[in-house]
PDB file of all heavy atoms in Angstrom:
ATOM      1  N   ASP A 279     -20.895  -6.438 -20.931  1.00  0.00           N
ATOM      2  CA  ASP A 279     -20.959  -6.557 -19.469  1.00  0.00           C
ATOM      3  C   ASP A 279     -19.720  -5.910 -18.859  1.00  0.00           C
ATOM      4  O   ASP A 279     -18.586  -6.284 -19.174  1.00  0.00           O
ATOM      5  CB  ASP A 279     -21.061  -8.030 -19.055  1.00  0.00           C
ATOM      6  CG  ASP A 279     -21.411  -8.180 -17.572  1.00  0.00           C
ATOM      7  OD1 ASP A 279     -21.538  -7.148 -16.873  1.00  0.00           O
ATOM      8  OD2 ASP A 279     -21.557  -9.328 -17.111  1.00  0.00           O
ATOM      9  N   GLN A 282     -17.088  -9.208 -14.978  1.00  0.00           N
ATOM     10  CA  GLN A 282     -17.321 -10.597 -14.575  1.00  0.00           C
ATOM     11  C   GLN A 282     -16.040 -11.181 -14.006  1.00  0.00           C
ATOM     12  O   GLN A 282     -14.939 -10.764 -14.350  1.00  0.00           O
ATOM     13  CB  GLN A 282     -17.783 -11.466 -15.768  1.00  0.00           C
ATOM     14  CG  GLN A 282     -19.179 -11.134 -16.271  1.00  0.00           C
ATOM     15  CD  GLN A 282     -19.767 -12.184 -17.202  1.00  0.00           C
ATOM     16  OE1 GLN A 282     -19.381 -13.343 -17.176  1.00  0.00           O
ATOM     17  NE2 GLN A 282     -20.699 -11.752 -18.044  1.00  0.00           N
ATOM     18  N   LEU A 478     -25.211  -7.346 -10.240  1.00  0.00           N
ATOM     19  CA  LEU A 478     -26.203  -8.389  -9.956  1.00  0.00           C
ATOM     20  C   LEU A 478     -25.719  -9.337  -8.868  1.00  0.00           C
ATOM     21  O   LEU A 478     -26.345 -10.372  -8.620  1.00  0.00           O
ATOM     22  CB  LEU A 478     -26.534  -9.150 -11.243  1.00  0.00           C
ATOM     23  CG  LEU A 478     -27.325  -8.273 -12.216  1.00  0.00           C
ATOM     24  CD1 LEU A 478     -26.960  -8.558 -13.655  1.00  0.00           C
ATOM     25  CD2 LEU A 478     -28.809  -8.458 -11.976  1.00  0.00           C
ATOM     26  N   TYR A 479     -24.613  -8.967  -8.224  1.00  0.00           N
ATOM     27  CA  TYR A 479     -24.111  -9.786  -7.122  1.00  0.00           C
ATOM     28  C   TYR A 479     -25.106  -9.632  -5.975  1.00  0.00           C
ATOM     29  O   TYR A 479     -25.414  -8.502  -5.555  1.00  0.00           O
ATOM     30  CB  TYR A 479     -22.730  -9.264  -6.712  1.00  0.00           C
ATOM     31  CG  TYR A 479     -21.967 -10.142  -5.758  1.00  0.00           C
ATOM     32  CD1 TYR A 479     -21.539 -11.418  -6.142  1.00  0.00           C
ATOM     33  CD2 TYR A 479     -21.639  -9.693  -4.481  1.00  0.00           C
ATOM     34  CE1 TYR A 479     -20.810 -12.208  -5.275  1.00  0.00           C
ATOM     35  CE2 TYR A 479     -20.905 -10.478  -3.603  1.00  0.00           C
ATOM     36  CZ  TYR A 479     -20.492 -11.742  -3.993  1.00  0.00           C
ATOM     37  OH  TYR A 479     -19.763 -12.522  -3.128  1.00  0.00           O
ATOM     38  N   PRO A 480     -25.668 -10.726  -5.450  1.00  0.00           N
ATOM     39  CA  PRO A 480     -26.796 -10.621  -4.520  1.00  0.00           C
ATOM     40  C   PRO A 480     -26.546  -9.727  -3.301  1.00  0.00           C
ATOM     41  O   PRO A 480     -27.475  -9.077  -2.827  1.00  0.00           O
ATOM     42  CB  PRO A 480     -27.040 -12.079  -4.122  1.00  0.00           C
ATOM     43  CG  PRO A 480     -26.640 -12.841  -5.347  1.00  0.00           C
ATOM     44  CD  PRO A 480     -25.416 -12.122  -5.864  1.00  0.00           C
ATOM     45  N   LEU A 483     -27.832  -6.341  -3.933  1.00  0.00           N
ATOM     46  CA  LEU A 483     -29.226  -6.214  -4.370  1.00  0.00           C
ATOM     47  C   LEU A 483     -30.156  -6.027  -3.173  1.00  0.00           C
ATOM     48  O   LEU A 483     -29.913  -6.577  -2.088  1.00  0.00           O
ATOM     49  CB  LEU A 483     -29.654  -7.485  -5.127  1.00  0.00           C
ATOM     50  CG  LEU A 483     -28.876  -7.829  -6.396  1.00  0.00           C
ATOM     51  CD1 LEU A 483     -29.373  -9.169  -6.958  1.00  0.00           C
ATOM     52  CD2 LEU A 483     -29.016  -6.724  -7.441  1.00  0.00           C
ATOM     53  N   LEU A 491     -36.792  -8.959 -10.411  1.00  0.00           N
ATOM     54  CA  LEU A 491     -36.374  -8.285 -11.640  1.00  0.00           C
ATOM     55  C   LEU A 491     -36.997  -6.895 -11.708  1.00  0.00           C
ATOM     56  O   LEU A 491     -36.360  -5.922 -12.118  1.00  0.00           O
ATOM     57  CB  LEU A 491     -36.802  -9.133 -12.849  1.00  0.00           C
ATOM     58  CG  LEU A 491     -36.522  -8.551 -14.225  1.00  0.00           C
ATOM     59  CD1 LEU A 491     -35.037  -8.308 -14.435  1.00  0.00           C
ATOM     60  CD2 LEU A 491     -37.057  -9.496 -15.315  1.00  0.00           C
ATOM     61  N   PHE A 494     -35.135  -4.415  -9.471  1.00  0.00           N
ATOM     62  CA  PHE A 494     -33.844  -4.086 -10.074  1.00  0.00           C
ATOM     63  C   PHE A 494     -34.036  -3.097 -11.230  1.00  0.00           C
ATOM     64  O   PHE A 494     -33.327  -2.087 -11.332  1.00  0.00           O
ATOM     65  CB  PHE A 494     -33.183  -5.378 -10.556  1.00  0.00           C
ATOM     66  CG  PHE A 494     -31.812  -5.202 -11.158  1.00  0.00           C
ATOM     67  CD1 PHE A 494     -30.703  -4.918 -10.367  1.00  0.00           C
ATOM     68  CD2 PHE A 494     -31.616  -5.345 -12.534  1.00  0.00           C
ATOM     69  CE1 PHE A 494     -29.437  -4.773 -10.925  1.00  0.00           C
ATOM     70  CE2 PHE A 494     -30.351  -5.214 -13.100  1.00  0.00           C
ATOM     71  CZ  PHE A 494     -29.260  -4.914 -12.299  1.00  0.00           C
ATOM     72  N   ILE A 512     -24.372  -2.124 -17.337  1.00  0.00           N
ATOM     73  CA  ILE A 512     -24.436  -3.285 -16.447  1.00  0.00           C
ATOM     74  C   ILE A 512     -23.001  -3.717 -16.141  1.00  0.00           C
ATOM     75  O   ILE A 512     -22.132  -3.692 -17.021  1.00  0.00           O
ATOM     76  CB  ILE A 512     -25.196  -4.462 -17.115  1.00  0.00           C
ATOM     77  CG1 ILE A 512     -26.634  -4.053 -17.502  1.00  0.00           C
ATOM     78  CG2 ILE A 512     -25.186  -5.706 -16.221  1.00  0.00           C
ATOM     79  CD1 ILE A 512     -27.568  -3.836 -16.336  1.00  0.00           C
ATOM     80  N   SER A 514     -22.203  -6.991 -14.189  1.00  0.00           N
ATOM     81  CA  SER A 514     -22.967  -8.032 -13.480  1.00  0.00           C
ATOM     82  C   SER A 514     -22.251  -8.584 -12.252  1.00  0.00           C
ATOM     83  O   SER A 514     -22.886  -9.085 -11.346  1.00  0.00           O
ATOM     84  CB  SER A 514     -23.301  -9.180 -14.432  1.00  0.00           C
ATOM     85  OG  SER A 514     -22.118  -9.910 -14.734  1.00  0.00           O
ATOM     86  N   ASP A 515     -20.902  -8.517 -12.233  1.00  0.00           N
ATOM     87  CA  ASP A 515     -20.132  -9.112 -11.128  1.00  0.00           C
ATOM     88  C   ASP A 515     -20.422 -10.609 -11.036  1.00  0.00           C
ATOM     89  O   ASP A 515     -20.317 -11.200  -9.956  1.00  0.00           O
ATOM     90  CB  ASP A 515     -20.476  -8.410  -9.804  1.00  0.00           C
ATOM     91  CG  ASP A 515     -19.318  -8.456  -8.800  1.00  0.00           C
ATOM     92  OD1 ASP A 515     -18.237  -8.996  -9.144  1.00  0.00           O
ATOM     93  OD2 ASP A 515     -19.489  -7.972  -7.669  1.00  0.00           O
ATOM     94  N   LEU A 516     -20.748 -11.213 -12.155  1.00  0.00           N
ATOM     95  CA  LEU A 516     -21.042 -12.652 -12.188  1.00  0.00           C
ATOM     96  C   LEU A 516     -19.780 -13.440 -11.843  1.00  0.00           C
ATOM     97  O   LEU A 516     -18.738 -13.258 -12.466  1.00  0.00           O
ATOM     98  CB  LEU A 516     -21.530 -13.023 -13.602  1.00  0.00           C
ATOM     99  CG  LEU A 516     -21.943 -14.467 -13.847  1.00  0.00           C
ATOM    100  CD1 LEU A 516     -23.201 -14.822 -13.045  1.00  0.00           C
ATOM    101  CD2 LEU A 516     -22.197 -14.704 -15.340  1.00  0.00           C
ATOM    102  N   LYS A 551     -26.334 -17.179  -3.639  1.00  0.00           N
ATOM    103  CA  LYS A 551     -27.114 -17.713  -4.767  1.00  0.00           C
ATOM    104  C   LYS A 551     -27.588 -16.548  -5.645  1.00  0.00           C
ATOM    105  O   LYS A 551     -28.100 -15.546  -5.143  1.00  0.00           O
ATOM    106  CB  LYS A 551     -28.325 -18.443  -4.178  1.00  0.00           C
ATOM    107  CG  LYS A 551     -29.113 -19.298  -5.145  1.00  0.00           C
ATOM    108  CD  LYS A 551     -30.202 -20.055  -4.354  1.00  0.00           C
ATOM    109  CE  LYS A 551     -31.462 -20.243  -5.185  1.00  0.00           C
ATOM    110  NZ  LYS A 551     -32.188 -18.984  -5.482  1.00  0.00           N
ATOM    111  N   MET A 552     -27.424 -16.675  -6.958  1.00  0.00           N
ATOM    112  CA  MET A 552     -27.853 -15.605  -7.869  1.00  0.00           C
ATOM    113  C   MET A 552     -29.378 -15.531  -7.903  1.00  0.00           C
ATOM    114  O   MET A 552     -30.059 -16.519  -7.653  1.00  0.00           O
ATOM    115  CB  MET A 552     -27.320 -15.874  -9.286  1.00  0.00           C
ATOM    116  CG  MET A 552     -25.795 -15.792  -9.409  1.00  0.00           C
ATOM    117  SD  MET A 552     -25.105 -14.166  -8.968  1.00  0.00           S
ATOM    118  CE  MET A 552     -25.607 -13.180 -10.399  1.00  0.00           C
ATOM    119  N   PRO A 553     -29.930 -14.353  -8.222  1.00  0.00           N
ATOM    120  CA  PRO A 553     -31.393 -14.274  -8.360  1.00  0.00           C
ATOM    121  C   PRO A 553     -31.849 -15.159  -9.519  1.00  0.00           C
ATOM    122  O   PRO A 553     -31.110 -15.370 -10.478  1.00  0.00           O
ATOM    123  CB  PRO A 553     -31.645 -12.794  -8.645  1.00  0.00           C
ATOM    124  CG  PRO A 553     -30.340 -12.217  -9.065  1.00  0.00           C
ATOM    125  CD  PRO A 553     -29.262 -13.067  -8.472  1.00  0.00           C
ATOM    126  N   GLU A 554     -33.068 -15.659  -9.399  1.00  0.00           N
ATOM    127  CA  GLU A 554     -33.615 -16.607 -10.394  1.00  0.00           C
ATOM    128  C   GLU A 554     -33.525 -16.120 -11.827  1.00  0.00           C
ATOM    129  O   GLU A 554     -33.327 -16.901 -12.744  1.00  0.00           O
ATOM    130  CB  GLU A 554     -35.098 -16.855 -10.094  1.00  0.00           C
ATOM    131  CG  GLU A 554     -35.348 -18.142  -9.361  1.00  0.00           C
ATOM    132  CD  GLU A 554     -36.816 -18.262  -9.012  1.00  0.00           C
ATOM    133  OE1 GLU A 554     -37.667 -17.776  -9.794  1.00  0.00           O
ATOM    134  OE2 GLU A 554     -37.096 -18.821  -7.928  1.00  0.00           O
ATOM    135  N   TRP A 555     -33.710 -14.815 -12.008  1.00  0.00           N
ATOM    136  CA  TRP A 555     -33.806 -14.252 -13.355  1.00  0.00           C
ATOM    137  C   TRP A 555     -32.444 -13.862 -13.927  1.00  0.00           C
ATOM    138  O   TRP A 555     -32.346 -13.316 -15.023  1.00  0.00           O
ATOM    139  CB  TRP A 555     -34.744 -13.041 -13.358  1.00  0.00           C
ATOM    140  CG  TRP A 555     -34.540 -12.138 -12.165  1.00  0.00           C
ATOM    141  CD1 TRP A 555     -35.155 -12.252 -10.952  1.00  0.00           C
ATOM    142  CD2 TRP A 555     -33.649 -11.035 -12.063  1.00  0.00           C
ATOM    143  NE1 TRP A 555     -34.702 -11.279 -10.099  1.00  0.00           N
ATOM    144  CE2 TRP A 555     -33.780 -10.511 -10.753  1.00  0.00           C
ATOM    145  CE3 TRP A 555     -32.774 -10.413 -12.951  1.00  0.00           C
ATOM    146  CZ2 TRP A 555     -33.053  -9.417 -10.314  1.00  0.00           C
ATOM    147  CZ3 TRP A 555     -32.043  -9.320 -12.502  1.00  0.00           C
ATOM    148  CH2 TRP A 555     -32.185  -8.841 -11.192  1.00  0.00           C
ATOM    149  N   PHE A 556     -31.355 -14.133 -13.166  1.00  0.00           N
ATOM    150  CA  PHE A 556     -30.028 -13.897 -13.741  1.00  0.00           C
ATOM    151  C   PHE A 556     -29.038 -14.933 -13.209  1.00  0.00           C
ATOM    152  O   PHE A 556     -28.382 -14.736 -12.191  1.00  0.00           O
ATOM    153  CB  PHE A 556     -29.508 -12.482 -13.461  1.00  0.00           C
ATOM    154  CG  PHE A 556     -28.297 -12.146 -14.306  1.00  0.00           C
ATOM    155  CD1 PHE A 556     -28.446 -11.655 -15.605  1.00  0.00           C
ATOM    156  CD2 PHE A 556     -27.005 -12.389 -13.840  1.00  0.00           C
ATOM    157  CE1 PHE A 556     -27.337 -11.396 -16.399  1.00  0.00           C
ATOM    158  CE2 PHE A 556     -25.888 -12.129 -14.634  1.00  0.00           C
ATOM    159  CZ  PHE A 556     -26.061 -11.630 -15.918  1.00  0.00           C
ATOM    160  N   GLY A 557     -28.924 -16.040 -13.928  1.00  0.00           N
ATOM    161  CA  GLY A 557     -28.051 -17.121 -13.493  1.00  0.00           C
ATOM    162  C   GLY A 557     -26.741 -17.164 -14.257  1.00  0.00           C
ATOM    163  O   GLY A 557     -25.717 -17.582 -13.721  1.00  0.00           O
ATOM    164  N   ASP A 558     -26.777 -16.745 -15.525  1.00  0.00           N
ATOM    165  CA  ASP A 558     -25.551 -16.771 -16.322  1.00  0.00           C
ATOM    166  C   ASP A 558     -25.694 -15.860 -17.535  1.00  0.00           C
ATOM    167  O   ASP A 558     -26.680 -15.112 -17.640  1.00  0.00           O
ATOM    168  CB  ASP A 558     -25.167 -18.206 -16.710  1.00  0.00           C
ATOM    169  CG  ASP A 558     -26.219 -18.875 -17.580  1.00  0.00           C
ATOM    170  OD1 ASP A 558     -26.692 -18.239 -18.567  1.00  0.00           O
ATOM    171  OD2 ASP A 558     -26.588 -20.026 -17.292  1.00  0.00           O
ATOM    172  N   ASN A 559     -24.736 -15.936 -18.457  1.00  0.00           N
ATOM    173  CA  ASN A 559     -24.660 -14.995 -19.571  1.00  0.00           C
ATOM    174  C   ASN A 559     -25.833 -15.090 -20.562  1.00  0.00           C
ATOM    175  O   ASN A 559     -25.974 -14.222 -21.413  1.00  0.00           O
ATOM    176  CB  ASN A 559     -23.348 -15.202 -20.341  1.00  0.00           C
ATOM    177  CG  ASN A 559     -22.162 -14.539 -19.644  1.00  0.00           C
ATOM    178  OD1 ASN A 559     -21.998 -13.325 -19.708  1.00  0.00           O
ATOM    179  ND2 ASN A 559     -21.350 -15.336 -18.948  1.00  0.00           N
ATOM    180  N   ARG A 560     -26.684 -16.111 -20.409  1.00  0.00           N
ATOM    181  CA  ARG A 560     -27.821 -16.241 -21.321  1.00  0.00           C
ATOM    182  C   ARG A 560     -29.028 -15.436 -20.847  1.00  0.00           C
ATOM    183  O   ARG A 560     -30.049 -15.404 -21.515  1.00  0.00           O
ATOM    184  CB  ARG A 560     -28.191 -17.726 -21.456  1.00  0.00           C
ATOM    185  CG  ARG A 560     -27.076 -18.534 -22.128  1.00  0.00           C
ATOM    186  CD  ARG A 560     -27.299 -20.029 -21.995  1.00  0.00           C
ATOM    187  NE  ARG A 560     -27.289 -20.446 -20.588  1.00  0.00           N
ATOM    188  CZ  ARG A 560     -27.337 -21.713 -20.187  1.00  0.00           C
ATOM    189  NH1 ARG A 560     -27.391 -22.699 -21.095  1.00  0.00           N
ATOM    190  NH2 ARG A 560     -27.333 -22.007 -18.905  1.00  0.00           N
ATOM    191  N   ASP A 561     -28.883 -14.762 -19.681  1.00  0.00           N
ATOM    192  CA  ASP A 561     -30.055 -14.131 -19.057  1.00  0.00           C
ATOM    193  C   ASP A 561     -30.114 -12.614 -19.189  1.00  0.00           C
ATOM    194  O   ASP A 561     -30.962 -11.971 -18.558  1.00  0.00           O
ATOM    195  CB  ASP A 561     -30.129 -14.507 -17.568  1.00  0.00           C
ATOM    196  CG  ASP A 561     -30.467 -15.983 -17.364  1.00  0.00           C
ATOM    197  OD1 ASP A 561     -31.051 -16.580 -18.307  1.00  0.00           O
ATOM    198  OD2 ASP A 561     -30.145 -16.524 -16.297  1.00  0.00           O
ATOM    199  N   PHE A 562     -29.233 -12.019 -19.971  1.00  0.00           N
ATOM    200  CA  PHE A 562     -29.316 -10.557 -20.133  1.00  0.00           C
ATOM    201  C   PHE A 562     -30.633 -10.134 -20.779  1.00  0.00           C
ATOM    202  O   PHE A 562     -31.130  -9.032 -20.544  1.00  0.00           O
ATOM    203  CB  PHE A 562     -28.133 -10.030 -20.953  1.00  0.00           C
ATOM    204  CG  PHE A 562     -26.838  -9.991 -20.182  1.00  0.00           C
ATOM    205  CD1 PHE A 562     -25.901 -11.006 -20.329  1.00  0.00           C
ATOM    206  CD2 PHE A 562     -26.574  -8.960 -19.293  1.00  0.00           C
ATOM    207  CE1 PHE A 562     -24.708 -10.981 -19.617  1.00  0.00           C
ATOM    208  CE2 PHE A 562     -25.387  -8.930 -18.574  1.00  0.00           C
ATOM    209  CZ  PHE A 562     -24.444  -9.946 -18.737  1.00  0.00           C
ATOM    210  N   GLY A 563     -31.201 -11.058 -21.591  1.00  0.00           N
ATOM    211  CA  GLY A 563     -32.489 -10.763 -22.228  1.00  0.00           C
ATOM    212  C   GLY A 563     -33.577 -10.471 -21.204  1.00  0.00           C
ATOM    213  O   GLY A 563     -34.460  -9.624 -21.436  1.00  0.00           O
ATOM    214  N   ASN A 564     -33.520 -11.155 -20.057  1.00  0.00           N
ATOM    215  CA  ASN A 564     -34.528 -10.891 -19.009  1.00  0.00           C
ATOM    216  C   ASN A 564     -34.465  -9.436 -18.552  1.00  0.00           C
ATOM    217  O   ASN A 564     -35.491  -8.812 -18.287  1.00  0.00           O
ATOM    218  CB  ASN A 564     -34.297 -11.803 -17.797  1.00  0.00           C
ATOM    219  CG  ASN A 564     -34.612 -13.254 -18.114  1.00  0.00           C
ATOM    220  OD1 ASN A 564     -35.360 -13.552 -19.051  1.00  0.00           O
ATOM    221  ND2 ASN A 564     -34.031 -14.168 -17.333  1.00  0.00           N
ATOM    222  N   ILE A 565     -33.244  -8.934 -18.442  1.00  0.00           N
ATOM    223  CA  ILE A 565     -33.094  -7.549 -17.994  1.00  0.00           C
ATOM    224  C   ILE A 565     -33.643  -6.590 -19.053  1.00  0.00           C
ATOM    225  O   ILE A 565     -34.320  -5.610 -18.735  1.00  0.00           O
ATOM    226  CB  ILE A 565     -31.618  -7.238 -17.668  1.00  0.00           C
ATOM    227  CG1 ILE A 565     -31.148  -8.133 -16.515  1.00  0.00           C
ATOM    228  CG2 ILE A 565     -31.429  -5.765 -17.314  1.00  0.00           C
ATOM    229  CD1 ILE A 565     -29.656  -8.046 -16.216  1.00  0.00           C
TER     230      ILE A 565
END
Side-chain angles (χ1 to χ4, degrees):
Chain A
D279 191 358
Q282 291 194 24
L478 290 145
Y479 190 65
L483 299 176
L491 177 60
F494 182 73
I512 301 290
S514 71
D515 208 2
L516 182 67
K551 192 175 146 292
M552 294 300 287
E554 260 176 33
W555 42 272
F556 193 85
D558 62 47
N559 280 283
R560 295 168 298 186
D561 291 338
F562 285 99
N564 291 338
I565 298 173

